[in-house]
Amino acid sequence: MSFEINGSTFAQEPRAGQCLRTFLRELGHFGVKKGCDAGDCGACTVLLDGEPVHSCLIPAFRAEGRMVTTIEGLGGEDGAHPMQQAFLDAQGFQCGFCTAGMILTCASLNQAQQTDLGSALKGNICRCTGYRAIEDALLGKTNVEASVEPGTAFGRSLPAPAGPDIVRGKARYTFDTAINGLLHIKLLRSPHAHARIVTIDKSAALGVPGVHAVLTHEDAPPVLMSTARHEKDWMDPEDTRILDDVVRFIGQKVAAVVAESEAAAEEACRWIKVRYEILPALIDPEQAMAPGAPILHPDRTTANRIADPQRNLAAETHGEFGDVAAALATSAVTYEATYHSHRVQHAALETHGGLAWLDETGALNVRTSTQVPFLTRRALSDIFQLPLDKVRVFCERVGGGFGGKQEMFVEDILALAALRTGRPVKLELTREEQFIATSTRHPMRVHIKAGADADGKLTALQLDLLSNTGAYGNHAGPVMFHSLSESIAVYNCPNKRVDGYAVYTNTVPAGAFRGYGLPQSQIAIEAAIDELAMQLGISPYEMRRRNIVTPGDPMLSPPPSEFHDVLYGSYGLDQCLDLVERAMQADGPQSELSADWLTGDGVALTMIDTAPPAGHLADAAIALNEDGGFELTVGTAEFGNGTSTVHRQIAATTSATTVDRIHLRQSDTAHGGHDTGAYGSAGMFVAGKATHAAAMQLAAALKAAAADAWLCDVEACTLEDNAVVCGVRRMAFAELAKLGRERGQPFAGSGNSDGTPRSVGFNVQGFRVAVNKGTGELRILRSVHAADAGIVANPMQCRGQIEGGVAQALGAALFEEMVIDAEGRVTNPKFRDYHLPSFADVPHTEVFFAETSDTIGPLGAKSMSESPYNPVAAALGNAIADATGIRFTAPPFKPDRLFPALLDKFGGTDGTR
């Protein structure tokens, strides 16, 4: 057989049944990505005779004699295709994992197709951008600033350094490499929600040709741990083993097969014989914490950092300021209701996975898709009793994270297999495994009571929160505490009470997810503010203005926190409210709607701490190169959060140079130092401060060296345009590099940040919606978002983070929902049945920034990546209530969920009820 790929002919024979995607990747065309293996996401798109196809659905043999074009071949050998350049100009990507497929589809569109992008792009999913920047690319818009003067990079819309490689398919993600002698891992998973493994017979599996090992709980260290990764281990319970003899949810790993091919490993999984003792399963958290319920972790104690194993409580909290009951009894108006938030999947297009091997020194190397390489290294060192310098964990570019990769779901198995076999090993989760066996957002039940006086001042806020942490307590406590913290701390109120429970059930574990618990509680709190305002005849904006904290006010939520380092580094919440209100009142696009449509507006606000508590550490180092450029080393990972861009901007601004002269090394424990990780809104706020400190130290050394050479006062020296300047004298950085080399003392600087004190960020979201009272259909007519990000490090990039956060939150609020049946089984573990937002689903969001400068963050900036997600569902719920007069308390707000209440209130189209 003969294949023409990117203008070259290949004679390789595909394997029987092999799809075109894997065939192309085996030939080294790594720009063809795996996102779903079902034709749902478009990450594997290639052109077949000029037409875009999902290569995961095309048998490889069907490409014989046809012209195949991958992203690597789209622009030819010498340059970029016009569509690749358009994506660069518009910066139509974030993590970039979907970009190759998206560009190929866009490049194939004719003029007619470009008039209906919702239809034309329905086969290509982007989880990060919110699609506006992708549309800009198709429209030929330029969003980047081509160049800026040395020392002025911060605050400018500069492009991502990896952009040229991303649009050409050259950026390397976890599996975009070839390793000789690679073995493959497949996992046998539990079919039962709760069972004890009595025996495992692996003899038949070991007899499958190509199988090297079958690993079970008998082969794994009996170490208790958490898959959650935090700087402080005490934040999470020790309730998990690499492989356990008790399974607590359908999909939990039971055994790992290591074989010469994925097919052999998968076949061997079918031959493993497991005898189970079925145990009672608990699916509902209310039943799980009821007296007499079966205990899911009976052999754990509070010494394992579990609040109350005998009541299936992974964590709990209680506290009160003032007297809520008395305040409610005397309030002019009160509101009480129960809200439910559902399970949502992160749906990062690159699934969890990694490669592991032992190098020539015997050190364990793990190349993985993670947000926390340094914390993962520490965990592997502890579990396998390896010296820390004998473990290296690193990531190349990561294809999305959203909190889901603040976990250790695969690295432990990879390490076990590599150490046992001595061979390089690979484990790449399927999309179904991502749904059934990693983590989700925490489903929550929130009961709220609130009161206000006749002037609209809050008198009481009470939250009773039940969080379903699933089978294991990864992030159970921190998410619960976070959901009860800034959500009510943003409001002044003399009487506050919280009761929180994080409960074990026999369902897929919940974990870290963008917003970290705030969206689930915010929908109840912001609804209460609106309902109280309505009773008092006060506008929702005015009600919030009368109650929000302002500088000087304590930010309080019970029980009292042991961490007292959250400050008003800057304050822009008042501006955000004003910006959204003015935009919502301004003339906008008019929609021609019939009398069947009801319209309404909604608003919600949120506050978030711009780093997690209890310490978040980052080291950075910068060195002057011989050519006068710089090498910057940071530990934080890049997964579309934009830290790679911003770190270079910070360093370039501080060093009076341009970003093209900053070479960045990152996310590799072999580079030295430490970095807690890119989570908790800390990628720029904490690690960026370390970069700034390192660059400042180097700048001081350069000025001192020049002053010494000139015999002048160092205070008279400044950095300007790639040089040290003192009056009319000028010494270029390249000259200084030569001077350092001659002295045997190269110029370098180091910096660190411990994540304290912390600042606060603010977000306000406004929606105008239309609801069809006859069908339940919901349309978003206007979306407005205002954010307080301090000095905005990169306006284009920050706008993209906000648009992406709003889009992802809208997916959860409108239709995304993981469905679990009465036995604990995920019934929709694939994109086709889960409904991720596509181009046609996402409205344009008008983005505004408050004008503030943070006194704590680097160069006046503070975080933004996860916070735009937080107010979206709450604002949408308020808009729907304003339109219909009906308060819906459980997203997603699907038409079939809205319709029964609408029918009851308004009747059918024929007037019936």
Short mmCIF file of all heavy atoms in Angstrom, two decimals, residues 2 23-24 40 71 90 120 131 303 315 318 334 391 394 505 545 591 604 611 625 627 643 654 786 838:
data_model
loop_
_atom_site.label_atom_id
_atom_site.label_comp_id
_atom_site.label_asym_id
_atom_site.label_seq_id
_atom_site.Cartn_x
_atom_site.Cartn_y
_atom_site.Cartn_z
N SER A 2 0.36 2.31 -0.58
CA SER A 2 1.11 3.55 -0.68
C SER A 2 0.22 4.71 -0.24
O SER A 2 -0.96 4.78 -0.60
CB SER A 2 1.58 3.78 -2.12
OG SER A 2 2.27 4.99 -2.24
N PHE A 23 -2.25 5.71 12.81
CA PHE A 23 -1.30 5.46 11.72
C PHE A 23 -0.44 6.70 11.47
O PHE A 23 0.79 6.62 11.35
CB PHE A 23 -2.07 5.06 10.47
CG PHE A 23 -1.20 4.73 9.28
CD1 PHE A 23 -0.28 3.69 9.33
CD2 PHE A 23 -1.31 5.47 8.11
CE1 PHE A 23 0.52 3.39 8.22
CE2 PHE A 23 -0.53 5.17 7.00
CZ PHE A 23 0.40 4.13 7.07
N LEU A 24 -1.08 7.86 11.41
CA LEU A 24 -0.34 9.10 11.16
C LEU A 24 0.60 9.43 12.31
O LEU A 24 1.74 9.87 12.09
CB LEU A 24 -1.33 10.24 10.93
CG LEU A 24 -2.14 10.18 9.63
CD1 LEU A 24 -3.24 11.23 9.64
CD2 LEU A 24 -1.23 10.38 8.41
N ASP A 40 -16.02 13.13 17.97
CA ASP A 40 -16.83 14.16 18.60
C ASP A 40 -16.12 15.49 18.79
O ASP A 40 -16.78 16.52 18.94
CB ASP A 40 -17.33 13.69 19.97
CG ASP A 40 -18.26 12.49 19.87
OD1 ASP A 40 -18.97 12.39 18.85
OD2 ASP A 40 -18.28 11.67 20.81
N ILE A 71 -1.57 19.05 9.90
CA ILE A 71 -1.22 20.44 10.19
C ILE A 71 0.23 20.74 9.83
O ILE A 71 0.57 21.84 9.40
CB ILE A 71 -1.50 20.76 11.68
CG1 ILE A 71 -1.40 22.27 11.94
CG2 ILE A 71 -0.56 20.00 12.59
CD1 ILE A 71 -2.47 23.09 11.27
N ALA A 90 -4.59 36.51 15.50
CA ALA A 90 -5.73 36.64 16.40
C ALA A 90 -5.49 35.96 17.74
O ALA A 90 -6.26 36.18 18.67
CB ALA A 90 -6.98 36.06 15.74
N ALA A 120 -20.52 25.15 10.45
CA ALA A 120 -19.25 24.74 9.85
C ALA A 120 -18.27 24.20 10.88
O ALA A 120 -17.46 23.32 10.57
CB ALA A 120 -18.63 25.93 9.12
N TYR A 131 -14.26 30.63 21.80
CA TYR A 131 -14.44 30.71 20.35
C TYR A 131 -14.32 32.10 19.75
O TYR A 131 -14.14 32.22 18.54
CB TYR A 131 -15.79 30.09 19.92
CG TYR A 131 -15.92 28.63 20.24
CD1 TYR A 131 -16.64 28.20 21.35
CD2 TYR A 131 -15.30 27.67 19.45
CE1 TYR A 131 -16.76 26.84 21.65
CE2 TYR A 131 -15.41 26.32 19.75
CZ TYR A 131 -16.15 25.91 20.85
OH TYR A 131 -16.26 24.58 21.14
N ALA A 303 -6.78 9.97 62.40
CA ALA A 303 -5.34 10.08 62.14
C ALA A 303 -5.03 10.10 60.66
O ALA A 303 -3.96 10.57 60.24
CB ALA A 303 -4.59 8.92 62.81
N ALA A 315 -14.95 15.52 55.59
CA ALA A 315 -14.65 16.80 56.23
C ALA A 315 -15.95 17.44 56.67
O ALA A 315 -17.02 17.15 56.11
CB ALA A 315 -13.90 17.72 55.26
N HIS A 318 -18.34 23.95 61.03
CA HIS A 318 -19.49 24.64 61.63
C HIS A 318 -19.01 25.92 62.27
O HIS A 318 -17.91 25.96 62.85
CB HIS A 318 -20.16 23.76 62.70
CG HIS A 318 -20.50 22.39 62.22
ND1 HIS A 318 -21.64 22.11 61.49
CD2 HIS A 318 -19.83 21.21 62.33
CE1 HIS A 318 -21.66 20.82 61.19
NE2 HIS A 318 -20.57 20.26 61.68
N THR A 334 -37.15 38.10 54.52
CA THR A 334 -36.30 36.91 54.60
C THR A 334 -36.49 36.07 53.34
O THR A 334 -37.46 36.23 52.60
CB THR A 334 -36.64 36.05 55.84
OG1 THR A 334 -38.00 35.61 55.73
CG2 THR A 334 -36.43 36.82 57.13
N VAL A 391 14.11 11.10 41.31
CA VAL A 391 12.80 11.20 40.66
C VAL A 391 12.74 12.51 39.90
O VAL A 391 12.99 13.58 40.46
CB VAL A 391 11.65 11.13 41.67
CG1 VAL A 391 10.30 11.18 40.93
CG2 VAL A 391 11.74 9.90 42.54
N PHE A 394 8.21 15.92 34.78
CA PHE A 394 8.14 17.12 33.95
C PHE A 394 6.97 17.02 32.99
O PHE A 394 6.43 15.94 32.75
CB PHE A 394 9.45 17.34 33.18
CG PHE A 394 9.73 16.33 32.10
CD1 PHE A 394 9.53 16.64 30.76
CD2 PHE A 394 10.22 15.06 32.41
CE1 PHE A 394 9.79 15.72 29.75
CE2 PHE A 394 10.50 14.14 31.41
CZ PHE A 394 10.28 14.46 30.08
N THR A 505 -19.38 8.82 49.13
CA THR A 505 -20.38 7.95 48.50
C THR A 505 -19.65 7.00 47.55
O THR A 505 -18.47 7.20 47.26
CB THR A 505 -21.42 8.74 47.70
OG1 THR A 505 -20.76 9.47 46.65
CG2 THR A 505 -22.20 9.71 48.58
N ARG A 545 -24.58 46.97 46.16
CA ARG A 545 -23.75 48.10 46.59
C ARG A 545 -23.92 48.39 48.08
O ARG A 545 -22.97 48.81 48.74
CB ARG A 545 -24.11 49.35 45.77
CG ARG A 545 -23.68 49.27 44.31
CD ARG A 545 -23.85 50.62 43.62
NE ARG A 545 -23.48 50.52 42.21
CZ ARG A 545 -24.35 50.34 41.22
NH1 ARG A 545 -25.66 50.25 41.49
NH2 ARG A 545 -23.94 50.25 39.98
N SER A 591 -33.19 41.94 19.26
CA SER A 591 -33.63 40.63 18.78
C SER A 591 -35.13 40.66 18.53
O SER A 591 -35.90 41.12 19.39
CB SER A 591 -33.27 39.55 19.81
OG SER A 591 -33.71 38.29 19.37
N ALA A 604 -24.64 38.83 38.96
CA ALA A 604 -24.07 38.15 40.12
C ALA A 604 -22.62 38.61 40.26
O ALA A 604 -21.96 38.95 39.27
CB ALA A 604 -24.14 36.64 39.98
N ALA A 611 -4.71 33.35 45.78
CA ALA A 611 -3.77 32.25 46.04
C ALA A 611 -4.40 31.41 47.13
O ALA A 611 -5.19 31.90 47.94
CB ALA A 611 -2.40 32.76 46.47
N ASN A 625 22.64 35.61 29.23
CA ASN A 625 23.34 34.79 28.23
C ASN A 625 24.43 35.59 27.53
O ASN A 625 24.47 36.83 27.59
CB ASN A 625 22.35 34.27 27.19
CG ASN A 625 21.34 33.31 27.79
OD1 ASN A 625 21.63 32.63 28.77
ND2 ASN A 625 20.15 33.27 27.21
N ASP A 627 24.84 36.30 24.50
CA ASP A 627 24.39 37.22 23.45
C ASP A 627 23.62 38.41 24.00
O ASP A 627 23.08 39.22 23.23
CB ASP A 627 23.52 36.47 22.43
CG ASP A 627 22.24 35.91 23.06
OD1 ASP A 627 22.06 36.02 24.29
OD2 ASP A 627 21.42 35.33 22.31
N THR A 643 0.74 31.49 31.53
CA THR A 643 1.87 31.87 32.36
C THR A 643 3.16 32.00 31.56
O THR A 643 4.01 32.83 31.89
CB THR A 643 2.08 30.85 33.50
OG1 THR A 643 2.20 29.54 32.93
CG2 THR A 643 0.91 30.85 34.46
N THR A 654 11.18 44.12 33.63
CA THR A 654 12.12 44.40 34.72
C THR A 654 13.55 44.53 34.21
O THR A 654 14.36 45.27 34.78
CB THR A 654 12.04 43.27 35.77
OG1 THR A 654 10.67 43.07 36.14
CG2 THR A 654 12.84 43.62 37.01
N ALA A 786 -17.29 41.96 33.94
CA ALA A 786 -16.30 42.92 34.41
C ALA A 786 -15.42 42.25 35.45
O ALA A 786 -15.91 41.51 36.32
CB ALA A 786 -16.98 44.15 35.01
N SER A 838 -20.18 24.07 21.82
CA SER A 838 -19.54 24.26 20.52
C SER A 838 -19.68 25.72 20.13
O SER A 838 -20.25 26.54 20.87
CB SER A 838 -20.18 23.35 19.47
OG SER A 838 -21.53 23.72 19.26
#
